[in-house]
Amino acid sequence: MTGGAALLVPGVQREPGGPEPDTSFGGFVARAAAAGRLVVQPRMGFGDPRRMRAGLERTKAAVATTVGTLTIDSYTRVGDTAAARAAVAEGTALNGYPIATHPAALTRSLLDGVAGPGFPVQVRHGSSRPEAILRALAAAGLDATEGGPVSYCLPYGRTPLAESVENWARCCELLASLVPAPRTPHLESFGGCMLGQLCPPGLLVALSLLEGMFFVRHGIRSVSLSYAQQTDPAQDAEAVRALRRLAGEFLPAAVDRHVVLYTYMGVFPHTARGATRLLEASARLAVRSGAQRLIVKTAAEAHRIPTVLENVRALETAAAAAALCERPDAPSPAGPGGAERDGADSEVYREARAFVEAVLELDEDLGRALRAAFARGVLDVPYCLHPDNAGRSRSFVDADGRLRWSETGAMPAVSFPAAGARASGAGRAAALTSDGLLAALHGVSRRYDAYGAPGGGDGAR
């Protein structure tokens, strides 16, 4: 086994017999938001415990308000613990931390003196069968992870949606029972990141909220709702504001919650300047729209897996951009465009609410409602090939850079051109060709790379 007991270091100090320090993930983000600080977080995972600890230490020491990440390896994600165990025994490099293979004592040692009230750590994985991962993180003294019955099923494999829903219902209740007071277990929905790009924001917002509601109905009292930066800054701001408002309308007031924004998850700019510009744009978007946490990407994303140092630079770059961005002190004024800027009556808000209400009408049990919604095509992720996805929806990037529907199938989408407009051809997208799809997939990358070229414009539009 790589690493070992030599990782032991002094732990977090507290008064003898006193309560354990509160290292809850959601509470940390809430305190940072109250202080006006954006929390920034890397994607980071290594199989070697020593290297994993070093990555957490460097993240903690960054000039930024940070939280740590333990990203889990691919074998553990799919439940192949035998392969993970063999890789650890042979010293084979893994693409993440095998938390269900390393003993809990070793993981506790890795975290000792690093994780604490001022630096919580989240486990990120990608599994539709997360029970072993949740048991392992709880045994290691952690309380935060992410995923969801839809978002960790449709994009990643062929697990039937019904099975994923059952797994996540059971595991939400398991996590709620395994994390002792005073800590509060935290679950982040990955629903706002479906396929990374080319999914119109109304559906992303709805999926994230629906998964958050699912978590709460199965015993979780602290959640985060996600949204991934897309093609148009104004539309993205609408989406984050809509997500915040819908969370207030549909989640119980007693539930701790925040919004997490992901720096663009699609094809990343190839130039360092373009990549940095896109990262800075995501930090400004987070601040101006009211997201409290940002998952960053690095300038190396288009070329290879980033190093720890590159991750730290990205954290510090995002934090610096956020610090220079003026925070909205009050809601935008009423009047032309004012309500839409707040997400109150925006197109994204109306569309997302239509999706949520359509799903909730299908069944009182949210798990059954989600299964029925996909079976009937009420929810339908564009370009998703999972057998339980209807596959009749399509999207396109319009002339203004906004993501819109070109085909909606059975979905109650409201941004699709009205019947009269379709009949006259107004606002209708041309059939998407393979060249058109590639252009859409590379559009953000090319725009931000052009900014870095001689004579290029502002990639942030």
Side-chain angles (χ1 to χ4, degrees), residues 201-451:
L203 183 55
L204 296 178
V205 169
L207 285 170
S208 191
L209 177 64
L210 287 164
E211 288 197 331
M213 294 170 65
F214 179 91
F215 298 158
V216 170
R217 294 189 184 187
H218 288 282
I220 300 299
R221 310 303 296 172
S222 177
V223 300
S224 47
L225 309 176
S226 65
Y227 179 75
Q229 180 185 20
Q230 298 293 318
T231 59
D232 179 69
Q235 188 182 38
D236 287 339
E238 284 181 26
V240 175
R241 291 169 181 147
L243 185 53
R244 292 172 57 211
R245 179 174 181 227
L246 288 165
E249 293 171 346
F250 284 90
L251 292 177
V255 171
D256 168 70
R257 59 183 179 268
H258 69 266
V259 171
V260 53
L261 178 71
Y262 283 65
T263 299
Y264 187 67
M265 295 176 67
V267 179
F268 222 63
H270 282 68
T271 65
R273 187 169 185 182
T276 300
R277 187 76 175 180
L278 181 52
L279 172 61
E280 291 172 337
S282 71
R284 291 192 294 270
L285 170 64
V287 172
R288 291 169 178 165
S289 62
Q292 292 99 328
R293 180 161 54 98
L294 175 69
I295 308 293
V296 307
K297 293 185 78 172
T298 75
E301 298 292 335
H303 310 286
R304 53 178 168 74
I305 296 174
T307 65
V308 171
L309 179 58
E310 287 165 336
N311 271 295
V312 171
R313 286 175 179 163
L315 294 168
E316 294 180 340
T317 297
L324 293 172
C325 184
E326 183 177 354
R327 297 176 181 276
D329 295 324
S332 300
E340 182 160 320
R341 286 197 300 274
D342 283 335
D345 298 303
S346 71
E347 180 181 86
V348 177
Y349 171 82
R350 295 194 305 271
E351 183 172 300
R353 189 180 181 97
F355 280 126
V356 171
E357 291 177 339
V359 172
L360 296 181
E361 289 174 358
L362 295 175
D363 201 294
E364 291 184 357
D365 180 278
L366 187 49
R368 290 197 298 265
L370 286 169
R371 296 197 299 269
F374 279 96
R376 301 180 189 184
V378 172
L379 297 178
D380 187 356
V381 180
Y383 312 110
C384 175
L385 301 179
H386 191 282
D388 289 330
N389 189 65
R392 289 181 289 172
S393 71
R394 290 292 182 269
S395 62
F396 72 104
V397 181
D398 73 8
D400 295 325
R402 295 171 70 95
L403 270 170
R404 296 193 180 277
W405 298 105
S406 56
E407 299 291 340
T408 58
M411 296 193 300
V414 298
S415 66
F416 191 59
R422 291 201 301 273
S424 66
R428 186 173 60 186
L432 191 64
T433 64
S434 57
D435 285 345
L437 178 60
L438 285 173
L441 291 171
H442 288 267
V444 169
S445 171
R446 288 172 177 164
R447 188 192 336 148
Y448 279 86
D449 277 338
Y451 173 82

Side-chain angles (χ1 to χ4, degrees), residues 109-148:
S109 176
L110 181 159
L111 298 166
D112 197 11
V114 182
F119 186 68
V121 174
Q122 182 191 39
V123 173
R124 306 182 67 86
H125 52 95
S127 177
S128 59
R129 301 181 177 93
E131 182 172 342
I133 295 170
L134 298 188
R135 289 187 180 278
L137 73 88
L142 297 173
D143 57 51
T145 187
E146 43 92 48

